[in-house]
Amino acid sequence: MKTILVTGGMGFIGSHICVSLLEQGHQVIIVDNLCNSNKEVLNRINQITGKAPIFYSVDLLNEEALSAVFKRHNMDAVIHLAALKAVGKSSQIPLSYYHNNVSGSLVLLKVMEKYEVFNLVFSSSATVYGAKNPIPYVEHFPLSATNPYGRTKVMIEDILQDIFHADSRWNISLLRYFNPIGAHPSGLIGEDPKGIPNNLMPFITQVAVGQRDRLSIFGGDYPTPDGTGVRDYIHVVDLALGHLKALEKLMASSVKSISAYNLGAGKGYSVLNVVSAFEKASGKEIKYSITSRREGDLAEFFADVTKANNELGWQVSRSLDEMCEDAWNWQRKNPEGYS
Ligand code: NAD
Ligand code: WQD
């Protein structure tokens, strides 16, 4: 049994990671300031696993409070998810994004160094491949970003490269997520965005429960098979299991390293593919209108997942149909999310 700190563990992806960690018998410590999550998540994790994580309502920017958590628990590793993630908002309030994501990571790294915790799994994103790389994206491609949110991820990856090269005690896994959707099959935890969803799947599920009238499909004239945007959707449970594989590798190897891994399914589906898979899974009609493209969107991207397959021994096993069934099960059972 290891003791794992999960920053942002109350959020959409973090809560699923906590379930997987607890199911594997690890002790889980969560640090989260609840700026985009709900305390009810703790009860739900407990209902699924029969175990409770230890929770600290702490902001990563609060070095003193974070240090107190490290002083109290002997961590074996940290999974660092805590971040602000709304792409559009990041262009409106860039300073908040840089401060929260980059400064928050710096505080965490400083405290980890102080308490000599050097195993780190970092939540990066496919957004670090920018707009110019060919598809599928491979880990060695040059990184860039087209918005402040994406730049925070590139900056943090650069910072992690620098600290690794300066101090060989660090052991770091950079996980670049593609498009995580779906929910735990119990329907007890899932994605609960505040306000109007920015992402496709929560928008679709809210249309299905009648909270929104219709989906706007952003662009029908892309150079893709049906004209709508193509993405690499990954079930959030498969994504969570990828973290366990990355952790296992970090803790088993005697040679310290920093490695990036794409976590995706390795294939693309269009917006219309997702809409029809969801309609099949839910039995609900999803009304939609095709509108203009969303600024900053790319036509198509998906992952090359060879490296994660070979080095982590990880691959996805859940289909788009299961992603839709589980997203629908969550939304149907929790029409108002956690509140
Ligand atoms: P989320 O908003 O549901 O979870 C993030 C959690 O971090 C929230 O619970 C929030 O309260 C917490 N948090 C934010 N700032 C904090 C701070 N300063 N101190 C303490 N807690 C803080 O988001 P998610 O979808 O679960 O994403 C988790 C991570 O994965 C993020 O780093 C995100 O950038 C990354 N990511 C997400 C996606 C996606 O599509 N969801 C894709 C790629 C990468
Ligand atoms: C998917 C597809 C849209 C909403 C974002 C971030 C990325 C990563 C994952 C964090 C696209 C279309 C969407 C809607 C639509 N997050 N769409 N109508 O943009 O691929 O990636 O989340 O790291 O950085 O940019 O995901 O779910 O917003 O969009 O037509 O109401 O659905 O145009 O083709 P995206 P998404």
Side-chain angles (χ1 to χ4, degrees), residues 97-117:
Y97 270 67
Y98 287 118
H99 189 49
N100 192 75
N101 295 3
V102 181
S103 310
S105 297
L106 289 174
V107 171
L108 172 69
L109 294 168
K110 201 171 147 197
V111 174
M112 286 176 71
E113 184 181 54
K114 182 171 157 204
Y115 287 90
E116 301 191 349
V117 180

Side-chain angles (χ1 to χ4, degrees), residues 4-11 14-15 18 28-37 42 45 53-73 75 77-83 100 104 107-108 111-112:
I4 313 294
L5 173 68
V6 183
T7 77
M10 302 293 277
S15 55
C18 290
V28 175
I29 319 288
I30 297 178
V31 162
D32 198 306
N33 65 2
L34 299 174
C35 70
N36 198 36
S37 47
L42 286 177
I45 292 176
I54 299 169
F55 171 61
Y56 293 95
S57 179
V58 161
D59 193 308
L60 276 192
L61 291 159
N62 184 342
E63 187 174 336
E64 209 181 307
L66 189 64
S67 291
V69 176
F70 275 78
K71 198 166 178 189
R72 197 143 171 203
H73 304 277
M75 316 291 184
V78 175
I79 302 180
H80 175 34
L81 298 115
N100 192 75
V107 171
L108 172 69
V111 174
M112 286 176 71

Side-chain angles (χ1 to χ4, degrees), residues 237-280:
V237 172
D238 279 327
L239 182 69
L241 295 172
H243 290 72
L244 266 69
K245 292 287 189 185
L247 260 188
E248 269 167 35
K249 181 162 191 287
L250 277 188
M251 301 207 279
S253 61
S254 50
V255 183
K256 314 281 184 202
S257 63
I258 180 164
S259 294
Y261 297 99
N262 289 339
L263 296 187
K267 59 181 171 209
Y269 288 104
S270 73
V271 178
L272 286 172
N273 292 153
V274 177
V275 169
S276 55
F278 188 86
E279 286 181 330
K280 192 176 98 190

